[in-house]
Amino acid sequence: MAYDVSVVRATYPALSDGYAYLDGAAGTQVPEAVIEAIASAYRRGIGNVGGAFPASHRSDTIVAEARAAVADLVGGVPEGVILGPNMTTLTYRLAYALSRNWREGDEVVLSRLDHDANVRPWVQVAARAGATVRWAEVDVASGELGVDQYDGLIGERTRLVAVTAASNVLGTRPDVPAITAKARAAGAVTYVDGVHASAHGPTDAAALGADFYATSAYKWSGPHVGAVVGDPARLDALIPDKLASSSDDVPGRFETGTSPFADFAGVVAAVDHLAGLDPTATGTRRERLLASLAAAEAYELELFADLLGGLAAMPHVTVYGKAARRTATAYFTVAGRTPREVSSHLAEQRVNVWDGHNYAWEVTAALGIREAGSAVRAGLVHYNDRTDVDRLLDGVASLA
């Protein structure tokens, strides 16, 4: 059965406002089911977890269901799902815990391709420990992250290798399994940023070789909740900073403060929504997710070919990145215009795009565009359609 984007779009109330939402790489809109799940949790009444009364029991159930939903999405186990406000906050928590035993002379390997949330926490904890940061470089012309360079970067003193599953600006999908295999051979821990990747196709954290896999629900039609998924046994060996009075259990000991339980209900609804993108998919929720996200990815990339081809045909446009495997994300500049001028012009045409570095701090410097305001980012997700693409191309063409 062909992917029916009109059916998908009808579930998103925000899409009725007449705008082309091509800003999904910074955060997606949410379907009615997610809105209703969050509202319903508040209507029924929720309390903090661990209590003796029904409202607390409802929160206990919501947390358990959210862990199970994220585990199904990325291929983990519920007992290894840490929930929190966002990926950046959770990565800092894990960075502090993982670096506790790092010493001078130890090394961490980072990539210039990554979002700064998978760079700066590791740079900072390495500096405190006296560890050395080694860098995997991006090929500027192609946007690729070469695997062979890791042979000279990973060694016996490597403690951690952090890498993205997909660039949030160039869309590049590096060969993560090959990189993590090299890390594993050296006994290093791997931390994979899947925030951008998770929304654009099926995810199998184990196949990627990720000891820790980070994702954010607001990138895949959920609320503003982050998650890091790992092996419960590996988490059990880590000692995070926490209150003396809070739980010592895994994964709860990594979750500080009171959680947004109603938002967690929205996470469950978002995962269920993704599992239903392909109405012909059957089996467990995990199986339906794999089929639905594969169908959505194929649809996105077909539409993206038209978007990319249209931009490439315009002499006044420069598109960055030509990776062989990528998400449906375009990063471009327009001659004679600043990125903010372009995004403002498109906003007047009722087209939503982002401009700037988008926290891709290292790669925008490598491309030589960070100081000039970086570029314009237009990203497709599973609810975009051909009219969105046409409106973007018309708006950019009018700037010639």
Side-chain angles (χ1 to χ4, degrees):
M1 183 176 184
Y3 187 86
D4 193 339
V5 70
S6 64
V7 172
V8 174
R9 286 177 65 84
T11 66
Y12 286 80
L15 302 186
S16 64
D17 69 356
Y19 279 76
Y21 282 84
L22 296 173
D23 60 330
T28 49
Q29 302 307 305
V30 300
E32 185 66 43
V34 171
I35 299 169
E36 178 54 33
I38 295 171
S40 179
Y42 283 125
R43 287 194 198 101
R44 294 187 65 201
I46 49 178
N48 212 330
V49 293
F53 51 92
S56 176
H57 295 166
R58 285 193 285 272
S59 293
D60 291 333
T61 299
I62 288 171
V63 172
E65 290 177 346
R67 295 198 205 283
V70 173
D72 279 348
L73 179 67
V74 309
V77 296
E79 298 79 12
V81 176
I82 304 169
L83 299 169
N86 52 66
M87 177 269 189
T88 302
T89 298
L90 290 178
T91 300
Y92 268 111
R93 290 179 191 169
L94 268 299
Y96 295 145
L98 284 164
S99 66
R100 189 180 294 271
N101 295 320
W102 292 357
R103 297 292 181 264
E104 187 173 352
D106 288 343
E107 298 176 350
V108 297
V109 178
L110 309 178
S111 98
R112 303 282 186 196
L113 187 65
D114 274 73
H115 185 290
D116 209 40
N118 202 30
V119 171
R120 216 54 49 192
W122 308 116
V123 169
Q124 291 164 354
V125 296
R128 293 185 186 120
T132 299
V133 174
R134 309 194 73 185
W135 292 96
E137 303 292 346
V138 179
D139 180 78
V140 173
S142 66
E144 297 278 14
L145 185 69
V147 172
D148 290 346
Q149 65 183 309
Y150 281 87
D151 291 330
L153 294 172
I154 297 172
E156 62 180 14
R157 296 300 300 270
T158 304
R159 297 294 171 257
L160 176 130
V161 176
V163 66
T164 186
S167 165
N168 70 311
V169 290
L170 302 183
T172 304
R173 286 183 175 273
D175 189 349
V176 174
I179 295 169
T180 57
K182 295 177 187 294
R184 190 179 308 110
V189 172
T190 58
Y191 196 97
V192 177
D193 175 7
V195 172
H196 187 68
S198 300
H200 297 287
T203 297
D204 187 336
L208 290 172
D211 291 319
F212 299 93
Y213 183 90
T215 188
S216 292
Y218 74 99
K219 296 296 183 77
W220 33 264
S221 298
H224 282 259
V225 171
V228 173
V229 184
D231 179 351
R234 188 177 289 277
L235 291 173
D236 192 53
L238 298 178
I239 308 299
D241 291 331
K242 57 177 285 297
L243 301 181
S245 51
S246 64
S247 173
D248 284 321
D249 294 340
V250 169
R253 71 180 182 218
F254 294 91
E255 299 169 352
T256 58
T258 300
S259 297
F261 304 115
D263 283 348
F264 288 176
V267 168
V268 179
V271 172
D272 287 338
H273 169 74
L274 294 177
L277 291 176
D278 179 355
T280 68
T282 59
T284 65
R285 181 169 60 187
R286 172 67 178 162
E287 291 167 338
R288 288 182 286 115
L289 280 163
L290 292 174
S292 288
L293 287 170
E297 181 180 28
Y299 167 77
E300 287 177 23
L301 291 176
E302 181 180 357
L303 195 61
F304 184 60
D306 292 339
L307 187 156
L308 203 57
L311 290 175
M314 299 182 195
H316 62 298
V317 173
T318 299
V319 180
Y320 297 92
K322 301 176 182 177
R325 293 187 64 245
R326 63 192 299 183
T327 63
T329 310
Y331 201 47
F332 63 95
T333 53
V334 175
R337 308 276 184 162
T338 67
R340 176 48 61 97
E341 287 172 343
V342 176
S343 66
S344 296
H345 171 76
L346 290 171
E348 292 171 358
Q349 315 304 311
R350 298 168 75 86
V351 177
N352 297 343
V353 296
W354 274 97
D355 64 90
H357 55 70
N358 297 286
Y359 296 93
W361 193 247
E362 298 294 334
V363 75
T364 52
L367 292 169
I369 58 175
R370 191 173 73 195
E371 300 307 319
S374 298
V376 178
R377 181 177 64 181
L380 301 178
V381 294
H382 57 269
Y383 54 65
N384 290 119
D385 65 9
R386 194 162 299 278
T387 64
D388 294 336
V389 171
D390 290 343
R391 290 169 63 185
L392 171 73
L393 294 177
D394 288 344
V396 175
S398 68
L399 291 171

